[in-house]
Amino acid sequence: MNAYERARVEYAKWGIDTEAAMERLARVPVSMHCWQGDDVVGFDAREALSGGIQVSGNYLGRAHTPSELMADIEKAFSLIPGKKKLNVHASYAIIPEGETVGRDGILPRHFEPWLELAKRLGVGIDFNPTFFSHPMVKDNLTLSSPDEEVRAYWVRHGKACLKIAEYFATETGAPCVINFWIPDGYKDIPADRLSPRARFKKSLDEILDTPYDKTGVYVTLESKVFGIGLESYTVGSAEFCLSYSAQRGITPLMDNGHYHPTEVVSDKISSLLLFNEKIALHVTRAVRWDSDHVVIFDDETREIAKEIVRNGALERVFIALDYFDASINRVAAWVIGMRNMEKALLAAMLLPNERLAEYQQAGDFTHVLALTEEFKTFPFGDVFDEYCRRQGAPVGADWLREIEIYEAEVLSKR
Ligand code: RNT
Ligand code: ZN
């Protein structure tokens, strides 16, 4: 018996079907964010990153062009098991030389190369309007700006992006999740907290009043607690975004870097599942603050995965990653985070979830704790290795060798 066979038997003793788990996992899409590959720079404005988010590090090999970024994404995809999606920001529009178009005028054709890439990779695309790193962001404000010219500009951007999301959904045949996040906020204590939020609400209403294909396009709204330089007030707070999503019938998005440090998204998922048909996540790793470190196989990532699996919500939760680390090989950063998300989902499927819930129901927390701890050292890694093998992805740390070669042959020559 090989290691996987032994693991299969071990799990089977607890009524856990490793084969079914692997098959199930292979159908769960995880959306990989294009912006890890170029430090969130994009192609359209080439402005310094703004919006209260920050990338640190200067590792060699940052992608500077669409073809470089796409090559890096393809490399990363080849090293990640499971079903993937591409997550693209509007700032990654590919505008032909000589053509000038603002963010309020972007069209589906500016994203045709992204569609071609997605088709080649056989994946769907998710999309994001980009309300940052742009000269029309004035005083850190976009959709909540009191300057009507600024606000209207960004409303037009939102509408243009809905059309692009529709194009992606139609052309790929996969649903397109379009996520709205604005950086709007204030460094210091505002005198009026209501008006900016009222303007944000009005702007979103104007954008969403545009008819769009609600079967192919899922609009999500991401909340936040603070940004760098915007510490005192965030227009799109948790309460705003949850309430707006509920009232408007769109999907709330939780980024696990966007809460106070002792709050955890894993505990919020079940509540949102009770009141929303779908929910969306940005899985990230916050180290002391919203630092956007690479996702690791840590307790919170695992707990998030458990909540999705245990609540039977694999089809109701849009899972996307969101982090940006320029201090390590950027392609490796993608691979590490994506493999860890896959691992966390598989690990959650390989727990005696029903049995644990029964113990809880019966008030037997001794068994809940004891079994949870025992399962931490079950031969989970052997199943993950087998999953990688079957998915045609490198097993164990073998993928790292490929990164070394890619770094030597491609990235170091940029
Ligand atoms: C910022 C939000 C947002 C961005 C991306 C680039 O705090 O998390 O999701 O990271 O849109
Ligand atoms: Zn996010």
Side-chain angles (χ1 to χ4, degrees):
M1 255 205 276
N2 65 24
Y4 169 66
E5 277 303 315
R6 275 197 302 276
R8 191 180 64 72
V9 171
E10 270 317 299
Y11 280 107
K13 286 182 192 159
W14 289 84
I16 298 164
D17 185 345
T18 53
E19 293 288 321
M22 286 188 280
E23 275 164 33
R24 185 72 196 88
L25 181 58
R27 296 198 305 273
V28 180
V30 177
S31 198
M32 192 179 96
H33 53 312
C34 77
W35 52 92
Q36 159 61 42
D38 76 331
D39 309 344
V40 209
V41 176
F43 305 134
D44 69 342
R46 294 186 177 276
E47 284 233 336
L49 184 58
S50 75
I53 53 179
Q54 199 169 79
V55 178
S56 50
N58 190 25
Y59 200 84
L60 64 84
R62 178 174 91 75
H64 289 84
T65 63
S67 55
E68 286 178 355
L69 185 59
M70 290 183 193
D72 293 355
I73 289 171
E74 277 202 73
K75 186 74 208 169
F77 268 30
S78 74
L79 306 175
I80 300 161
K83 183 167 172 178
K84 295 164 278 284
K85 281 182 101 179
L86 246 181
N87 205 355
V88 177
H89 242 285
S91 52
Y92 292 79
I94 298 165
I95 297 167
E97 281 228 356
E99 190 182 328
T100 39
V101 52
R103 287 223 181 125
D104 61 339
I106 47 171
L107 297 165
R109 67 178 163 82
H110 298 123
F111 293 87
E112 215 178 294
W114 286 108
L115 178 68
E116 279 161 21
L117 175 69
K119 283 188 170 164
R120 193 161 65 245
L121 295 168
V123 301
I125 309 181
D126 294 326
F127 196 51
N128 309 259
T130 311
F131 297 100
F132 53 84
S133 307
H134 192 277
M136 278 306 277
V137 180
K138 307 272 193 211
D139 301 328
N140 301 311
L141 301 174
T142 63
L143 291 178
S144 77
S145 174
D147 178 336
E148 191 51 26
E149 199 193 325
V150 171
R151 198 188 66 81
Y153 182 88
W154 292 108
V155 167
R156 289 196 298 278
H157 176 59
K159 290 183 178 180
C161 286
L162 271 181
K163 290 270 165 273
I164 295 158
E166 240 171 18
Y167 160 78
F168 285 147
T170 313
E171 296 294 324
T172 61
C176 177
V177 176
I178 173 171
N179 180 46
F180 283 75
W181 168 73
I182 60 163
D184 299 33
Y186 294 117
K187 181 183 174 74
D188 222 325
I189 306 160
D192 173 7
R193 290 185 162 88
L194 186 65
S195 299
R197 289 186 172 133
R199 284 189 294 267
F200 185 27
K201 181 168 182 273
K202 177 170 154 214
S203 300
L204 286 172
D205 281 344
E206 286 171 17
I207 295 167
L208 299 177
D209 280 343
T210 332
Y212 64 94
D213 165 22
K214 299 208 168 59
T215 56
V217 174
Y218 287 88
V219 175
T220 64
L221 184 61
E222 178 180 11
S223 66
K224 190 162 175 172
V225 69
F226 83 101
I228 305 165
L230 307 163
E231 289 85 357
S232 300
Y233 172 78
T234 295
V235 178
S237 61
E239 295 73 18
F240 178 97
C241 292
L242 274 182
S243 308
Y244 187 87
S245 302
Q247 196 185 59
R248 188 81 201 192
I250 60 165
T251 302
L253 185 145
M254 297 189 289
D255 178 312
N256 60 302
H258 291 189
Y259 296 86
H260 291 283
T262 58
E263 284 182 77
V264 279
V265 161
S266 53
D267 185 57
K268 301 176 190 293
I269 290 173
S270 49
S271 296
L272 292 205
L273 284 174
L274 286 173
F275 298 97
N276 293 275
E277 176 48 33
K278 305 266 187 197
I279 68 169
L281 300 177
H282 271 181
V283 181
T284 187
R285 177 164 51 110
V287 178
R288 303 184 192 284
W289 65 291
D290 181 24
S291 62
D292 286 297
H293 277 66
V294 177
V295 168
I296 59 174
F297 190 56
D298 57 5
D299 286 349
E300 177 56 3
T301 308
R302 298 178 66 176
E303 208 61 29
I304 286 172
K306 282 191 216 168
E307 287 300 310
I308 301 170
V309 168
R310 288 172 166 177
N311 298 321
L314 282 162
E315 257 133 42
R316 293 174 57 201
V317 183
F318 297 120
I319 306 169
L321 303 191
D322 181 18
Y323 53 79
F324 14 95
D325 190 340
S327 73
I328 61 173
N329 181 301
R330 292 172 185 79
V331 184
W334 267 322
V335 177
I336 294 166
M338 289 288 283
R339 286 176 72 105
N340 282 328
M341 191 66 232
E342 292 281 314
K343 272 185 208 166
L345 289 165
L346 185 64
M349 293 174 183
L350 297 180
L351 290 174
N353 289 317
E354 279 167 29
R355 199 182 289 231
L356 289 168
E358 279 162 23
Y359 283 126
Q360 175 180 321
Q361 184 83 0
D364 186 348
F365 285 93
T366 309
H367 270 82
V368 173
L369 181 60
L371 277 184
T372 301
E373 291 306 301
E374 284 306 322
F375 268 80
K376 283 184 178 169
T377 49
F378 259 55
F380 157 74
D382 295 329
V383 186
F384 187 70
D385 285 352
E386 180 66 13
Y387 177 68
C388 289
R389 212 170 280 125
R390 292 188 192 182
Q391 288 280 316
V395 174
D398 288 358
W399 63 268
L400 205 42
R401 180 73 198 125
E402 301 238 8
I403 293 283
E404 285 163 9
I405 297 168
Y406 192 68
E407 182 170 310
E409 291 179 353
V410 180
L411 300 177
S412 64
K413 298 194 173 129
R414 284 183 183 160

